[in-house]
Amino acid sequence: MKSIFILGIIIVGLVISCSGCTSNNSTQISESTGIPVSEVPNLAYDVSKSTGTIKSIQFKGVNLTMNQCLYIFAKGIVMINNGEKGNIPIKTIQKADNPSGTVNTAKIAKNEYVDMADRTYKWMDQNNKVPNYIGVYEGGTNDLSPEMLLRTFVKVLTEYKSSGKLPESVTVP
């Protein structure tokens, strides 16, 4: 009888300590709830596995365009850098009018790529479209094309996924 009582206490303790365990394994993502910043590195990893130019990706039941991914990655990097939690909205983002960029390879320091991410998502918030280019060191310089910027952010976030911290620098491509 005593062993059944102890077993009952253990089971109740496990149930109490694990309340919500299943919800952590099946994070819900939808257009109305957005994507949790904790899922952004997983999305970047999925994008990194794709070869060539892709237009969209299916992620946890939501179809995302690369324009939306660029916004999510930019905002995600800033939120991770600031230690913020929460969801990033899944917005409708139009393509760049005239994409361009002059830099094909670069080593970009953490403070620079975080600044680029900050400028990118804020510009996209204001204009609802991808910028034609983004400057590495300052705004207004057409250093990285939208595709190169996406690749840069994917590299940053996949390294974060594997190490648990944003890299001190990233080399692109």
Side-chain angles (χ1 to χ4, degrees), residues 159-171:
E159 189 165 325
Y160 175 80
K161 177 179 171 48
S162 65
S163 71
K165 61 182 190 171
L166 292 173
E168 289 305 312
S169 65
V170 65
T171 304

Side-chain angles (χ1 to χ4, degrees), residues 143-169:
D143 291 336
L144 294 184
S145 67
E147 186 166 329
M148 184 69 77
L149 188 60
L150 180 80
R151 289 184 194 179
T152 301
F153 291 165
V154 165
K155 272 188 153 180
V156 167
L157 291 162
T158 53
E159 189 165 325
Y160 175 80
K161 177 179 171 48
S162 65
S163 71
K165 61 182 190 171
L166 292 173
E168 289 305 312
S169 65

Side-chain angles (χ1 to χ4, degrees), residues 109-128:
K110 179 180 176 180
N111 67 319
E112 293 164 344
Y113 71 70
V114 170
D115 176 62
M116 293 166 66
D118 188 61
R119 287 185 280 126
T120 299
Y121 95 80
K122 287 178 178 173
W123 195 91
M124 292 171 87
D125 271 341
Q126 279 189 321
N127 298 285
N128 289 319

Side-chain angles (χ1 to χ4, degrees), residues 11-77:
I11 291 172
V12 169
L14 287 173
V15 169
I16 291 171
S17 68
C18 194
S19 64
C21 286
T22 56
S23 67
N24 290 340
N25 293 332
S26 60
T27 304
Q28 294 297 315
I29 297 174
S30 71
E31 299 223 5
S32 61
T33 61
I35 180 169
V37 71
S38 61
E39 287 293 328
V40 173
N42 296 325
L43 173 59
Y45 177 74
D46 283 3
V47 170
S48 76
K49 293 188 297 185
S50 301
T51 56
T53 302
I54 55 174
K55 296 195 184 277
S56 65
I57 188 165
Q58 194 69 21
F59 184 73
K60 297 201 174 200
V62 176
N63 191 43
L64 299 167
T65 67
M66 287 302 106
N67 298 341
Q68 291 170 313
C69 287
L70 181 60
Y71 177 83
I72 291 166
F73 296 159
K75 186 151 184 156
I77 288 170

Side-chain angles (χ1 to χ4, degrees), residues 82-96:
N82 294 337
E84 297 174 21
K85 306 277 188 240
N87 288 6
I88 299 169
I90 298 173
K91 300 175 140 208
T92 300
I93 304 287
Q94 301 302 315
K95 65 180 183 160

